[in-house]
Structure formats: C-alpha cells, structure tokens
Amino acid sequence: MKRSDTPPAMDADALRKAIEWAILSRRSVRAFLPTRVPRETVESILDVARFAATGVNIQPWRVHVVTGRAKDRICAAIQRVNDDSALDETCADEWDYYPREWISPYLERKRTVGWKLYGLLGIEKGDKERMQAQHSRNYQFFDAPVGLFFTIDRVMQQGSLLDYGMFLQNIMIAARAHGLSTCPQAAFMKYHKVISEQLRLEKTERFVVGMSLGFADFSCVENTLVTERAEVGSFTTFYSD
C-alpha cells in the first residue's frame, strides 16, 4: 500500500459517507463466526493502519498475530491460569489502563455499558458465576479466528501510547472496509506474563492490549449492544475571539 494524495474515484459526498460508515459501524463485537480470515487480508489491514500519525515518525508498535493451533495454545494457557484461583491471584496488569479511582461521569458510563450487556445476556445482578463466564470469553477471543496482541518497547513513554491508539483505530476502521469486525481487549493485560511466555517475547517488550478480528455473528444477542455517546456540545468548547 502506498500513500496517495488523490482520493478514490468517487464523488466527495460518497467518499465522506464511506469514511463515516466505517467509523460509525465500528463497535466492540463479542461473538464471531468461525469463518476463516486469510492472512493476506490481515496483512492488508495492517498495511493501511501503519500510516497512523506518530510523533517524529517513531512508529512504536509491534503486532503479534495468532491463528489456528497457535491461538488455541495461548487461549488454553490463559484459561488454565484463569481457572486456578491461586494462580490467578498472582496475575495483575503491568500498567494502569483504567483509573484507580472512578469518578463521575466515567463510573456511570462504565456501569451502564456493563449492565446493558448483562441485561441482553439475561445475567442478573449478583450472578457472579455467569458474569465471570462471560468475562472469560475474552480469553477465547470471543471465538474469532484471528487474535492480535500488541506490544511496545519499554523505553517508550506516554506519548507513544497516543500514537498507538491512532494505529489501533486505523486497524479497526480498515477492518470494516473488509466487512470484518473487531473487539479491542484490555482484559488480556492481566495475563501479560502468560502471553509473553507463550509468544517468547523479548524482555524489552511491554504488553499493550489484545484484539479479536473476524466476521461478526449477528445472530448473537450480545452483538446488538449499542453504546451511548456524549453529544459534541458536552465535551467541546469553541473560542473565536
């Protein structure tokens, strides 16, 4: 894939609508079809995503793609630890993705999306067993055929995570152009040591996040979840004078 300042052969309105569709149709999918995704398609998505903006062009990302038996092995390794309470208690996130203290409005948003998902699945408040079972589906990539793990060199600082976010968004948007869906998963952070061992990562690599990639199974009720977004006026201030 090469850069081009010339847009595709479509009028400006059609181009705008195509871009907006890709962004607005992106959502975190939690149930996938087993349909195979060719390696060439994954490479094509990453080939587009690599043009994300980065400070002084450092391009801080490393991508580890797992499919087939390799994916099965790593899922099984994580699940073994997840199922063993003694081992599971020794696992912790390497760095803070979420705030240590939740405040409004973030706490309310977190609770709302969680209870919406559980409500769709018929999981009642206090049903910890079913909540845990649903959460554990993260570690099977929600049955997606492709799993991605993202790492970064430990020398990088917080600014590189901003770069990384743009790269991840590019992946998710480019996937929509192929009719594919994704789910970015911070849940994998807890098992970064297991992942590092399974992938034989260099000690200089820090785990960032995981992601499921595949064709969404729209027959599953969890994929009807629609999250609410704050209106532009609630987070934007315009200055003109």
Side-chain angles (χ1 to χ4, degrees):
M1 177 67 67
K2 295 182 179 180
R3 290 178 183 268
S4 175
D5 292 324
T6 304
M10 63 174 71
D11 62 51
D13 188 55
L15 180 60
R16 175 183 60 79
K17 288 180 178 178
I19 294 171
E20 290 179 351
W21 172 85
I23 295 172
L24 294 173
S25 67
R26 186 220 61 82
R27 64 180 62 184
S28 294
V29 165
R30 295 177 175 85
F32 291 84
L33 296 169
T35 308
R36 178 179 173 272
V37 177
R39 173 172 173 167
E40 293 76 16
T41 301
V42 178
E43 289 178 339
S44 177
I45 291 168
L46 295 174
D47 198 26
V48 171
R50 67 193 172 101
F51 288 101
T54 63
V56 295
N57 198 35
I58 56 177
Q59 306 169 58
W61 39 76
R62 289 288 305 276
V63 185
H64 308 269
V65 183
V66 293
T67 60
R69 289 192 294 272
K71 182 173 73 71
D72 293 341
R73 282 194 299 271
I74 200 165
C75 287
I78 293 172
Q79 197 62 54
R80 280 195 297 271
V81 176
N82 183 248
D83 290 339
D84 187 323
S85 57
L87 284 176
D88 197 58
E89 288 178 1
T90 67
C91 298
D93 294 354
E94 188 175 18
W95 57 279
D96 292 331
Y97 183 96
Y98 295 111
R100 295 187 179 183
E101 180 181 353
W102 289 89
I103 61 173
S104 183
Y106 316 114
L107 178 60
E108 290 82 1
R109 291 171 182 169
K110 172 180 177 287
R111 286 174 173 170
T112 296
V113 71
W115 288 119
K116 274 191 172 182
L117 175 61
Y118 291 149
L120 288 170
L121 293 168
I123 301 175
E124 297 182 357
K125 205 168 189 176
D127 190 344
K128 293 183 179 180
E129 184 175 347
R130 290 191 65 195
M131 289 180 189
Q132 178 61 33
Q134 174 59 28
H135 184 73
S136 293
R137 281 186 46 71
N138 276 282
Y139 310 127
Q140 302 299 321
F141 292 100
F142 298 110
D143 299 325
V146 180
L148 300 100
F149 292 120
F150 301 91
T151 62
I152 191 170
D153 196 299
R154 291 182 182 278
V155 303
M156 297 301 176
Q157 296 297 317
Q158 290 176 330
S160 292
L161 293 178
L162 296 177
D163 299 341
Y164 224 121
M166 290 185 276
F167 174 65
L168 294 171
Q169 179 73 354
N170 273 5
I171 291 174
M172 293 185 282
I173 298 308
R176 297 302 298 127
H178 290 269
L180 295 167
S181 294
T182 54
C183 185
Q185 296 161 267
F188 279 112
M189 290 178 63
K190 181 177 179 179
Y191 301 106
H192 64 93
K193 290 183 179 179
V194 179
I195 294 166
S196 294
E197 290 173 0
Q198 290 292 315
L199 298 181
R200 299 179 182 177
L201 299 181
E202 298 291 337
K203 291 182 178 180
T204 55
E205 289 183 77
R206 171 179 286 181
F207 186 80
V208 177
V209 75
M211 184 183 292
S212 298
L213 172 70
F215 291 94
D217 185 347
F218 291 112
S219 70
C220 294
V221 68
E222 54 264 52
N223 285 339
T224 65
L225 175 67
V226 177
T227 56
E228 297 176 1
R229 298 303 169 109
E231 297 293 336
V232 172
S234 70
F235 59 79
T236 307
T237 302
F238 289 92
Y239 303 87
S240 58
D241 296 315

